């Protein structure tokens, strides 16, 4: 792998007290093919006076390409002086050489520059921070920096790091732990608002993230996109519990309900309303399979795009229901695609009739459906017009708060599925708690 060194310069460069400065020492032991020198105004004046930095590099590594950035910064002790130019320079280098390992010198320059370089070393996946210990493995305050008028050639000739048994003082500090904690906070914040795809993108760029946390995010991202099989492939069990305990139509309705619940909690009421009719339509189809001996879909003609209830087919199969529909449509019922409204009317029509297996259950379900049927009008506006559904407009149109509508939907699911789903309303909250536990 190609290595490129990006190095600020300081008073300890190129040599201090007969030992390599940090920049020279990194070049000696990492042997980069290219070095990018970042000069402050003071270091630029020194370089132009006697070319001490470039001469030292060419003496040690004559084949190494040297590029120079003259920032003109006069106050490198202030963060504001280089907060734009230094990150931009490192970012441009990392982007221009994505396959190379970008070495960042963390030991040259002012303390402020070193801090920024340490932060940058964890911001780019192909950057590695390199720290160089002083020869005495402690503070180098007692070792005088090379003076401006000293003979650079003499300094380089008397460099103890040229000796065969000289020690490599470079090391790569484990700075990515700081990125881990920063990314951890971002990931948990995104998960709290159910932005799982965005959280997963962050997680994939953070190799320090525990594997179990990444699996939870992969599961949640796929699940919240209604990709059940992909979610199961990512993670089907956690802590000994099945993550998809309900299968079939009931499981699909539960997953769809959970999406509406996430929309409501995040204030995405327009999204929630667009989902209402598909939910109610699928719910009544599932309910008819469970509790009606005669399903409305069986009276329909199968079409390429679904089912269509025609007047002719209905007259032949159930003249009583046709007469009922004639009272609901003006001037009479003709034909239409199978819909929530037709299923709702079918349920109303069958009250007290022998086609219902469990009359008590039917009465309860239809009572709940009747409570939420008015949401259809607001849903139509949200689906077909550029309408921003607010809580106020929701309450005005539906007659209840969004959370109250969801409570009716939940009661409907309990009537359909029974107590096996009672503890499943908080599935995504459980996923978030498990994620936080894995990221401790």
């Amino acid at each position: 792998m190609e290595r490129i060194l990006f190095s600020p310069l300081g008073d300890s460069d190129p040599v201090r007290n007969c030992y390599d400065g940090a920049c020279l020492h990194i070049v000696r032991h990492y042997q980069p093919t290219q070095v990018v020198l970042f000069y402050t105004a003071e270091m630029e004046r020194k370089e132009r006076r006697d070319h001490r930095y470039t001469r030292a590099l060419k003496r040690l590594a004559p084949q190494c390409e040297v590029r120079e950035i003259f920032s003109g910064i006069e106050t490198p002790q202030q963060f504001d002086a280089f907060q734009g130019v230094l990150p931009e320079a490192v970012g441009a280098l990392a982007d221009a050489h994505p396959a190379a390992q970008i070495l960042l010198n963390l030991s040259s320059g002012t303390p402020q520059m070193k801090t920024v370089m340490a932060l940058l070393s964890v911001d780019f996946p192909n950057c590695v921070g390199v720290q160089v210990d002083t020869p005495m493995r402690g503070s180098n305050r007692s070792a005088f920096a090379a003076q401006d008028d000293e003979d650079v050639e003499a300094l380089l000739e008397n460099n103890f790091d040229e000796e065969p048994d000289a020690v490599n003082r470079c090391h790569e500090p484990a700075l990515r732990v700081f990125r881990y904690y920063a990314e951890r906070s971002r990931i948990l914040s995104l998960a709290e608002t159910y932005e799982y795809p965005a959280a997963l993108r962050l997680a994939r760029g953070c190799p320090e993230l525990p594997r179990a946390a990444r699996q939870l995010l992969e599961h949640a991202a796929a699940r919240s996109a209604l990709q059940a099989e992909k979610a199961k492939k990512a993670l089907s069990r956690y802590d000994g519990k099945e993550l998809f305990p309900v299968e079939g139509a009931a499981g699909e309705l539960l997953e769809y309900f959970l999406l509406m619940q996430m929309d409501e909690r995040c204030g995405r009421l327009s999204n929630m309303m667009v989902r209402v009719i598909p939910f109610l339509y699928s719910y009544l189809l599932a309910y008819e399979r469970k509790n009606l001996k005669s399903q409305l879909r069986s009276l329909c003609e199968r079409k390429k795009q679904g089912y269509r209830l025609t007047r002719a087919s209905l007259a032949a199969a159930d003249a009583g229901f046709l007469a009922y529909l004639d009272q609901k449509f003006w001037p009479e019922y003709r034909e239409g695609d199978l819909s929530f409204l037709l299923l709702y009317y079918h349920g109303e029509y069958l009250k007290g009739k022998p086609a219902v297996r469990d009359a008590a259950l039917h009465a309860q379900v239809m009572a709940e459906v009747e409570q939420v049927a008015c949401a259809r009008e607001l849903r139509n506006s949200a689906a077909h017009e550029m309408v921003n559904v607010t809580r106020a407009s929701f309450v005005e149109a539906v007659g209840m708060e969004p959370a109250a509508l969801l409570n009716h939907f939940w009661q409907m699911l309990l009537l359909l599925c029974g107590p096996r789903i009672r503890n499943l309303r908080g599935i995504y909250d459980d996923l978030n708690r498990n994620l936080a536990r894995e990221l401790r």
Side-chain angles (χ1 to χ4, degrees), residues 180-236:
Y180 167 75
Y181 282 108
E183 298 292 52
R184 172 186 180 275
S185 178
R186 295 188 189 102
I187 288 169
L188 290 175
S189 294
L190 287 168
E192 285 176 6
T193 55
Y194 312 109
E195 298 288 348
Y196 296 114
L200 181 58
R201 283 194 295 272
L202 282 179
R204 286 173 172 161
C206 184
E208 294 77 20
L209 206 73
R211 181 172 178 269
R214 191 174 292 106
Q215 286 179 311
L216 281 166
L217 285 172
E218 289 171 350
H219 172 92
R223 187 169 194 161
S224 61
L226 298 179
Q227 298 173 337
E229 292 307 313
K230 185 176 180 181
K232 291 174 187 176
K233 187 175 180 180
L235 197 66
S236 60

Side-chain angles (χ1 to χ4, degrees), residues 11-21 24 56 145-146 155-156 159:
D11 288 330
S12 294
D13 297 305
V15 175
R16 182 168 186 160
N17 199 30
C18 299
Y19 286 94
D20 289 341
L24 202 62
L155 292 172
L156 296 173
N159 185 352

Side-chain angles (χ1 to χ4, degrees), residues 290-307:
K290 176 185 176 72
N291 199 38
L292 301 186
K293 299 174 184 177
S294 173
Q295 298 175 37
L296 184 56
R297 190 159 65 176
S298 67
L299 308 181
C300 296
E301 295 180 9
R302 183 68 184 268
K303 300 293 183 180
K304 189 175 182 180
Q305 300 299 323
Y307 295 87

Side-chain angles (χ1 to χ4, degrees), residues 136-370:
M136 62 286 298
R137 305 289 176 173
S139 173
N140 63 355
R141 290 173 184 164
S142 60
F144 293 107
Q147 300 303 303
D148 292 351
D149 58 355
E150 286 193 68
D151 185 350
V152 175
E153 285 299 327
L155 292 172
L156 296 173
E157 287 289 344
N158 295 288
N159 185 352
F160 294 147
D161 278 316
E162 297 279 358
E163 299 297 325
D165 59 349
V167 176
N168 180 356
R169 293 179 280 115
C170 298
H171 64 95
E172 300 171 11
L175 295 175
R176 289 197 174 272
V177 66
F178 297 114
R179 180 176 184 179
Y180 167 75
Y181 282 108
E183 298 292 52
R184 172 186 180 275
S185 178
R186 295 188 189 102
I187 288 169
L188 290 175
S189 294
L190 287 168
E192 285 176 6
T193 55
Y194 312 109
E195 298 288 348
Y196 296 114
L200 181 58
R201 283 194 295 272
L202 282 179
R204 286 173 172 161
C206 184
E208 294 77 20
L209 206 73
R211 181 172 178 269
R214 191 174 292 106
Q215 286 179 311
L216 281 166
L217 285 172
E218 289 171 350
H219 172 92
R223 187 169 194 161
S224 61
L226 298 179
Q227 298 173 337
E229 292 307 313
K230 185 176 180 181
K232 291 174 187 176
K233 187 175 180 180
L235 197 66
S236 60
R237 296 177 63 86
Y238 181 85
D239 201 21
K241 296 180 181 177
E242 289 285 347
L243 293 179
F244 279 96
V246 181
E247 300 285 348
E252 293 173 3
L253 282 166
L254 173 63
E255 296 302 315
Y256 207 73
F257 168 84
L258 294 173
L259 287 190
M260 289 191 290
Q261 182 170 260
M262 288 191 283
D263 286 336
E264 187 275 329
R265 289 180 177 179
C266 296
R268 300 188 294 258
L269 298 183
S270 296
N271 284 3
M272 173 186 161
M273 288 310 303
V274 170
R275 302 186 199 274
V276 164
I277 295 302
F279 172 81
L280 290 172
Y281 173 77
S282 298
Y283 177 87
L284 287 179
L285 282 178
Y287 168 71
E288 285 204 345
R289 287 194 297 270
K290 176 185 176 72
N291 199 38
L292 301 186
K293 299 174 184 177
S294 173
Q295 298 175 37
L296 184 56
R297 190 159 65 176
S298 67
L299 308 181
C300 296
E301 295 180 9
R302 183 68 184 268
K303 300 293 183 180
K304 189 175 182 180
Q305 300 299 323
Y307 295 87
R308 192 161 185 83
L309 186 63
T310 66
R311 186 173 185 85
S313 62
L314 193 53
D318 194 335
F321 183 45
L322 177 59
Y324 180 86
L325 289 181
D326 283 341
Q327 298 174 27
K328 299 295 183 181
F329 292 88
W330 190 90
E332 63 182 9
Y333 177 76
R334 292 189 173 90
E335 65 176 57
D337 293 333
L338 185 61
S339 64
F340 159 68
L341 187 60
L342 287 174
L343 288 164
Y344 172 64
Y345 285 152
H346 191 232
E348 287 288 297
Y349 166 72
L350 290 179
K351 285 181 179 178
K353 292 184 168 56
V356 176
R357 293 190 177 94
D358 185 332
L361 174 62
H362 189 73
Q364 288 178 289
V365 167
M366 294 313 297
E368 292 291 342
V369 174
E370 185 177 354

Side-chain angles (χ1 to χ4, degrees), residues 23-43:
C23 177
L24 202 62
H25 204 65
I26 295 171
V27 172
R28 184 183 302 280
H29 291 284
Y30 281 83
Q31 300 177 352
T33 58
Q34 182 183 151
V35 176
V36 180
L37 299 177
F38 184 88
Y39 294 93
T40 62
E42 181 184 358
M43 299 303 116

